[in-house]
């Protein structure tokens, strides 16, 4: 098991490793597609963290959020709801809002298909080959909405041999999971794979008012893959999947006592909440469910996806067509600040969301000038349609029925077209120059509609237009990249790069009145980076180091304000100013002997606002200033761990002892610096057995051994981190 190591075959021909690169205890070469073609990780002048199947299993990385928690410079958490706003923050750039008018700055890709909505961050792993996390802007090859970086999930392809595997777990809080995959080749030219998973978690948060257990989930999905091999040069991969995620994710009760540990005016009560709204089911119209059953505290996401990847290998190069369709339907009811006795007095948000997207990409990779030039070129198209119906309720302490504050309904359409070209040219032996650029045209339209279910509420497009707010936004932008790398030896590479990226502009989409549907500008990042990648001592040690300096103009944030003449805090999505972020990152692996391996990853980072946008008629306490610290940017992060393998002939297999430690220095989790996560120290331990042929295995482990208590937050609530969990698992294949 190695964190930061990935292996796996590609549909395209993979680079051939020389003899020196395959010796030692670090295993075979690591192949990634960070530059949209298969390359050795150590040859790519990009900061990339990769995880293979073994790492994912050994460290219990069952979804994209957990994987991202081990990446230098990255904070990954749930925020305000399972399957809704799940936040990646990478090098200081992130997003904790899931409204479709506000895009995430860390793009998610599944089998090279871009997933536009942020709930992709909660992607459960079916049968994963590897996960790659690319840090820094990736605007040239991955496009818009990657100012922070990109997360790429690569699924395993069908095998040419009949086989199956199963994995089951059971642990704390009645959490049980099951995964099954069956490879069923029809012929040498038709290969199929069928996968399914199921997750059930009773929940670790106790509602002391109703007795409900919250912050659990019920999650399941099905996936089918077909690989067609009509000739040696042509590969066609088709897939379809359906996932359903239901669950809750609520904040803890906050006692009215100032906390220096969390830098809040209240103190969280782990792991309890006081909430008069009983847990319900979001299957249907959330508003109707709330009003007719007086239940809620639920979230539901139904997701459908299909992809097609056609790969044609020719003597001149490789032509690939990547197409995808994704549909997501969501229902959401949450009581943010309920009382112990009166559910009608609480602030309750009930949303119904529909997202549809279709994308297509045509990509060509090739070589020229006696293979001194390697290049990739492509065109990309995306169309996305998003619909939101959102109602919020807030009553007085003596209320006897739900009091509607507002009901808003919008439809947003996004269309983007892009073309890109990047080439790596070997100027002289061992010195390579990389130059690339992407042109993007983007068009966004939004329409608002009066409320049909509550006449007299809501507002329409004419109201927004009358307020002087545009209903159409367009963007034409070129995002270039320049890099250079030099091979000091076959095992040591130096590199430097300058990269540009942008995140789309949008609107304050969840505004309660038309005058607050304010448009904001695109977020634009330039990042300058230098580093070294090395494998030393006959491949017993891998040391990858890099430093970066990034400047982001028109940083997009969501914060709470009190509008002039009002007393209630509201959410405002806007441009905050210019963020400067810089730091050092490292990833190391040490394998002195074949049965022992140690890894250490981490970062030193600093972020600050170099300029800010002042909001008129808003109190100083609710403004961003140059003294405000950027959220989810720990000064120091460290992840370390080790695996010790003990061969046991009597058991015809190996026993593995696995330990991992994760540390974050204290960091703010609220934009206005009124809530912070304390210093975090997580310890995970596991003992596992695996047969020599890999046919059977079992393990028992604990995560968060020390019961570290931590929080994340939006401007309304404090949400608890995951508690200590014990888990046993078993897997087998044949």
């Amino acid at each position: 098991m190695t964190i930061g190591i990935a292996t796996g075959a590609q549909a395209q021909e993979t680079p051939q490793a020389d003899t020196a690169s395959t010796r030692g205890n670090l295993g075979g070469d690591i192949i990634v597609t960070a530059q949209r073609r298969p390359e050795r990780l150590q040859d790519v002048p990009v900061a990339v963290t990769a995880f293979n199947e073994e790492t994912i299993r050994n460290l219990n990385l069952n979804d994209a959020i957990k994987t991202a928690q081990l990446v230098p410079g990255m904070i990954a958490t749930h925020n305000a709801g399972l399957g809704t706003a799940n936040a990646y923050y990478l090098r200081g750039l992130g997003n904790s809002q899931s409204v479709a008018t506000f895009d995430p700055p860390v793009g998610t890709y599944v089998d090279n298909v871009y997933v536009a909505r942020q709930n992709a961050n909660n992607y459960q792993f079916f049968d994963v080959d590897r996960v790659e996390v690319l840090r820094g802007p990736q605007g040239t090859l991955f496009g818009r909405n990657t100012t922070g970086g990109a997360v790429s999930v690569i699924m395993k392809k069908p095998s040419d041999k009949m086989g199956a595997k199963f994995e089951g777990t059971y642990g704390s809080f009645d959490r049980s999971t099951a995964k099954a995959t069956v490879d069923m080749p029809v012929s040498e030219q038709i290969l199929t794979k069928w996968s399914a998973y199921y997750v059930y978690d009773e929940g670790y948060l106790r509602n002391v008012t109703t007795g409900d257990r919250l912050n659990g989930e019920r999650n399941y999905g099905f996936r089918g893959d077909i690989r067609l091999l009509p000739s040696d040069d042509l590969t066609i991969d088709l897939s379809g999947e359906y996932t359903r995620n239901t669950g809750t994710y609520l904040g803890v009760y906050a006692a009215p006592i100032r906390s220096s540990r969390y830098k809040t005016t209240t103190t969280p009560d782990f792991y309890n909440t006081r909430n008069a709204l009983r847990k319900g089911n979001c299957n249907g119209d959330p508003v109707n469910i709330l009003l007719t059953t007086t239940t809620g505290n639920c979230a539901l996401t139904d997701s459908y996806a299909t992809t097609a990847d056609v790969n044609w290998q020719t003597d001149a190069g490789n032509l690939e067509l990547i197409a995808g369709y994704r549909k997501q339907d969501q229902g959401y009811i949450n009581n943010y600040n309920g009382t112990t006795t009166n559910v009608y007095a609480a602030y309750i948000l009930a949303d119904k969301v529909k997202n549809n997207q279709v994308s297509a990409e045509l990509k060509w990779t090739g070589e020229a000038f006696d293979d001194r030039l390697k290049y990739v070129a492509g065109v990309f198209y995306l169309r996305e349609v998003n619909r939101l119906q959102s109602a919020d309720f807030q009553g007085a302490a003596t209320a006897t029925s739900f009091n509607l504050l507002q009901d808003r309904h919008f439809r947003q359409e996004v269309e983007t077209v892009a073309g890109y070209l990047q080439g790596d040219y070997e100027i002289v032996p061992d010195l390579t120059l990389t130059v690339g650029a992407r042109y993007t045209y983007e068009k966004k339209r939004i329409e608002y509609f009066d409320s049909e279910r509550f006449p007299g509420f809501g507002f329409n497009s004419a109201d927004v237009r009358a307020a002087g707010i545009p209903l159409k936004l367009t963007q034409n932008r070129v995002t270039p990249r320049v890099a250079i790398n030099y091979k000091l030896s076959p095992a040591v590479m130096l590199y430097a790069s300058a990269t540009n990226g942008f995140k789309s502009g949008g609107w304050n989409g969840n505004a309660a009145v038309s005058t607050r549907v304010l448009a904001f500008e695109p977020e634009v990042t330039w990042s300058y980076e230098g580093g070294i990648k090395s494998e030393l001592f006959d491949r017993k040690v891998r040391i990858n180091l890099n430093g970066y300096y990034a400047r982001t103009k028109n940083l997009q944030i969501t914060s709470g304000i009190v509008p002039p003449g009002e007393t209630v805090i509201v959410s405002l999505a806007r441009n905050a100013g210019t963020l400067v972020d810089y730091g050092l990152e490292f990833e190391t692996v040490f394998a002195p002997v074949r049965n022992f391996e140690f890894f250490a990853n981490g970062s030193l980072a600093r972020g600050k606002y170099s300029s800010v946008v002042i909001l008129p008629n808003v109190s100083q306490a609710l403004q961003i200033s140059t003294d405000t610290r950027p959220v989810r940017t720990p000064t120091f992060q460290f992840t370390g761990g080790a695996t010790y393998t003990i061969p046991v002939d009597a058991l015809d297999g190996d026993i593995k002892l696995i330990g991992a430690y994760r540390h974050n220095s204290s960091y703010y989790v609220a934009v206005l610096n009124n809530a912070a996560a304390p210093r975090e120290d997580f310890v995970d331990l596991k003992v596992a057995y695996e047969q020599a042929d890999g046919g059977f295995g079992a393990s028992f482990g604990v995560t968060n051994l020390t019961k570290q208590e931590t929080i994340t937050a939006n401007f309304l609530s404090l949400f608890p981190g995951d508690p200590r969990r014990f888990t046993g698992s078993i897997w087998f294949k044949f």
Side-chain angles (χ1 to χ4, degrees):
M1 181 279 294
T2 305
I3 190 170
I5 287 186
T7 59
Q10 308 294 315
Q12 298 156 282
E13 183 180 350
T14 56
Q16 295 298 314
D18 57 35
T19 303
S21 68
T22 57
R23 292 200 307 264
N25 298 326
L26 294 176
D29 282 322
I30 307 165
I31 304 301
V32 297
T33 52
Q35 295 194 121
R36 306 304 307 277
R37 63 173 185 268
E39 299 174 282
R40 294 178 64 247
L41 175 64
Q42 298 304 99
D43 294 335
V44 178
V46 177
V48 184
T49 304
F51 303 87
N52 66 0
E53 180 187 21
E54 183 182 14
T55 302
I56 290 169
R57 183 176 67 242
N58 286 342
L59 294 182
N60 301 311
L61 309 179
N62 298 314
D63 56 49
I65 283 277
K66 291 184 176 62
T67 302
Q69 289 174 339
L70 301 180
V71 176
M74 195 168 195
I75 295 293
T77 63
H78 294 300
N79 192 60
L82 285 172
T84 54
N86 302 308
Y88 290 149
Y89 273 76
L90 187 50
R91 291 181 173 177
L93 299 179
N95 175 27
S96 58
Q97 183 180 134
S98 61
V99 178
T101 53
F102 196 106
D103 291 313
V106 180
T108 299
Y109 294 78
V110 179
D111 277 345
N112 296 311
V113 174
Y114 174 63
V115 183
R117 290 302 98 217
Q118 190 176 2
N119 46 26
N121 301 356
N122 199 43
Y123 191 79
Q124 289 283 336
F125 293 159
F126 282 89
D127 189 25
V128 174
D129 182 66
R130 69 185 187 281
V131 179
E132 300 174 17
V133 181
L134 290 70
R135 302 191 289 281
Q138 297 296 327
T140 301
L141 294 180
F142 288 87
R144 57 194 271 282
N145 299 342
T146 57
T147 48
V151 176
S152 180
V153 180
I154 308 297
M155 311 300 289
K156 280 192 172 183
K157 304 303 182 239
S159 172
D160 59 358
K161 296 181 180 179
M162 182 72 180
K165 62 181 178 181
F166 171 84
E167 179 180 346
T169 72
Y170 181 77
S172 303
F173 309 104
D174 293 325
R175 183 177 179 88
S176 58
T177 71
K179 297 180 182 180
T181 297
V182 180
D183 285 291
M184 299 178 62
V186 177
S187 67
E188 292 183 355
Q189 288 76 38
I190 304 176
L191 312 178
T192 70
K193 176 189 290 286
W194 309 96
S195 305
Y197 78 89
Y198 177 83
V199 177
Y200 176 79
D201 191 323
E202 185 68 18
Y204 56 82
L205 187 69
R206 186 172 70 95
N207 188 342
V208 299
T209 303
T210 65
D212 290 333
R213 288 175 64 177
L214 302 171
N215 292 15
E217 63 177 316
R218 183 171 180 262
N219 190 346
Y220 61 88
F222 311 93
R223 180 181 173 95
D225 292 87
I226 300 175
R227 167 163 280 193
L228 305 177
L229 302 168
S231 70
D232 292 340
D233 300 326
L234 182 62
T235 302
I236 302 172
D237 286 308
L238 307 173
S239 69
E241 69 177 52
Y242 167 74
T243 62
R244 183 179 180 88
N245 188 339
T246 61
T248 57
Y249 192 67
L250 273 74
V252 296
Y253 172 70
I257 304 171
R258 179 173 294 276
S259 170
S260 59
R261 175 176 171 81
Y262 300 102
K263 297 181 173 62
T264 55
T265 58
T266 57
T267 299
D269 180 13
F270 288 89
Y271 286 92
N272 296 307
T273 190
R274 302 183 185 182
N275 193 311
L277 185 65
R278 290 190 175 276
K279 184 168 63 173
N281 189 320
C282 280
N283 188 13
D285 182 353
V287 169
N288 184 59
I289 292 170
L290 175 68
L291 297 181
T292 58
T293 69
T294 319
T295 63
N297 285 338
C298 57
L300 165 66
T301 300
D302 277 326
S303 180
Y304 309 81
T306 60
T307 63
D309 191 317
V310 181
N311 200 298
W312 183 30
Q313 185 73 41
T314 74
D315 292 338
N318 189 85
L319 181 65
E320 187 174 9
L321 172 65
I322 305 165
Y325 169 77
R326 183 171 290 266
K327 178 178 183 290
Q328 292 179 333
D329 297 333
Q330 295 177 281
Y332 177 77
I333 306 172
N334 212 2
N335 181 347
Y336 280 99
N337 58 349
T339 64
T340 59
T341 58
N342 189 358
V343 66
Y344 303 113
Y347 176 72
I348 299 175
L349 185 64
D351 287 357
K352 183 178 181 180
V353 185
K354 291 183 176 294
N355 307 119
N356 290 270
Q357 72 164 72
V358 61
S359 64
E361 180 176 7
L362 189 64
K363 178 167 65 76
W364 175 266
T365 57
E367 300 178 351
F369 304 114
D370 295 326
D371 297 341
R372 293 177 63 186
L373 174 65
K374 298 180 180 179
Y375 63 90
V376 56
V379 292
F380 173 80
Y381 172 79
L382 169 73
R383 184 174 185 270
E384 184 186 0
V385 178
N386 305 296
R387 294 177 175 86
L388 170 71
Q389 289 180 285
S390 178
D392 41 10
F393 302 83
Q394 175 87 66
T398 58
T400 57
S401 62
F402 290 110
N403 178 44
L404 177 68
L405 296 179
Q406 188 55 283
D407 184 40
R408 48 201 167 270
H409 178 195
F410 73 69
R411 178 185 186 274
Q412 179 189 247
E413 182 177 334
V414 181
E415 196 167 21
T416 183
V417 180
Y420 59 88
L421 173 65
Q422 179 171 296
D424 300 335
Y425 183 72
E426 190 176 39
I427 304 171
V428 296
D430 299 324
L431 181 64
T432 300
L433 175 67
T434 299
V435 178
R438 186 186 191 100
Y439 168 75
T440 300
Y441 170 76
E442 178 185 89
K443 178 174 60 178
K444 287 187 173 183
R445 288 192 177 96
I446 193 167
E447 298 176 89
Y448 275 88
F449 307 94
D450 291 319
S451 175
E452 294 181 356
R453 55 192 179 187
F454 301 110
F457 284 85
F459 51 88
N460 57 37
S461 295
D463 298 323
V464 178
R465 193 179 296 110
I469 299 169
L471 297 173
K472 177 183 176 181
L473 301 174
T474 60
Q475 182 73 199
N476 291 275
R477 188 169 293 275
V478 176
T479 48
R481 171 178 167 79
V482 178
I484 192 166
N485 70 80
Y486 178 65
K487 286 286 190 71
L488 289 175
S489 70
V492 180
M493 181 185 75
L494 302 174
Y495 70 92
S497 66
T499 310
N500 182 231
F502 83 98
K503 181 163 90 79
S504 299
W507 293 271
N508 185 44
N510 62 354
V513 296
S514 60
T515 54
R516 294 191 201 129
V517 186
L518 302 175
F520 49 83
E521 295 294 320
E523 177 180 285
V524 181
T525 298
W526 270 102
S527 179
Y528 308 92
E529 185 170 327
I532 180 172
K533 293 189 173 185
S534 63
E535 291 181 336
L536 308 173
F537 306 112
D538 198 21
R539 297 195 81 234
K540 291 182 173 63
V541 178
R542 177 178 297 122
I543 301 176
N544 292 344
L545 305 171
N546 65 277
Y548 69 93
Y549 174 90
R551 185 179 181 86
T552 301
K553 292 185 177 181
N554 295 326
L555 177 74
Q556 297 172 7
I557 66 167
T558 301
S559 65
I561 67 165
V562 178
E566 299 185 25
T567 59
V568 178
I569 191 169
V570 300
S571 170
L572 179 65
R574 62 186 180 91
N575 298 113
T578 299
L579 174 69
V580 173
D581 189 69
Y582 52 92
L584 298 172
E585 299 166 339
F586 62 90
E587 294 183 295
T588 66
V589 183
F590 176 49
V593 294
R594 291 194 177 275
N595 64 339
F596 178 78
E597 183 178 281
F598 172 81
F599 71 87
N601 298 348
S603 66
L604 289 166
R606 175 71 176 177
K608 63 180 182 180
Y609 289 96
S610 63
S611 65
V612 295
V613 176
I614 300 299
L615 297 174
N617 302 316
V618 173
S619 68
Q620 182 62 36
L622 298 177
Q623 300 277 7
I624 299 294
S625 75
T626 53
D627 293 327
T628 303
R629 294 288 300 276
V631 295
R632 295 175 172 88
T633 308
T635 301
F636 178 61
Q637 288 182 290
F638 177 82
T639 299
T643 299
Y644 182 60
T645 303
I646 306 172
V648 182
D649 293 338
L651 297 177
D652 189 29
D654 298 330
I655 292 178
K656 294 183 178 182
L657 306 178
I658 304 165
Y661 166 71
R662 178 163 57 96
H663 167 83
N664 293 313
S665 60
S666 179
Y667 57 93
Y668 284 103
V669 296
V671 170
L672 297 176
N673 289 182
N674 50 11
R679 165 179 165 164
E680 297 173 336
D681 294 283
F682 296 95
V683 176
D684 301 339
L685 299 175
K686 177 186 280 190
V687 58
Y689 163 76
E690 186 169 356
Q691 279 185 337
D693 61 1
F696 172 80
S699 69
F700 180 79
V702 56
T703 56
N704 194 8
L705 174 67
T706 58
K707 302 177 69 173
Q708 169 74 61
E709 293 179 346
T710 190
I711 61 169
T712 186
N714 60 17
F715 69 97
L716 289 173
S717 300
L718 302 178
F719 297 90
D722 214 32
R724 182 172 65 187
R725 291 180 182 269
F726 294 93
T727 303
S729 66
I730 186 171
W731 66 93
F732 59 85
K733 63 181 180 179
F734 54 88

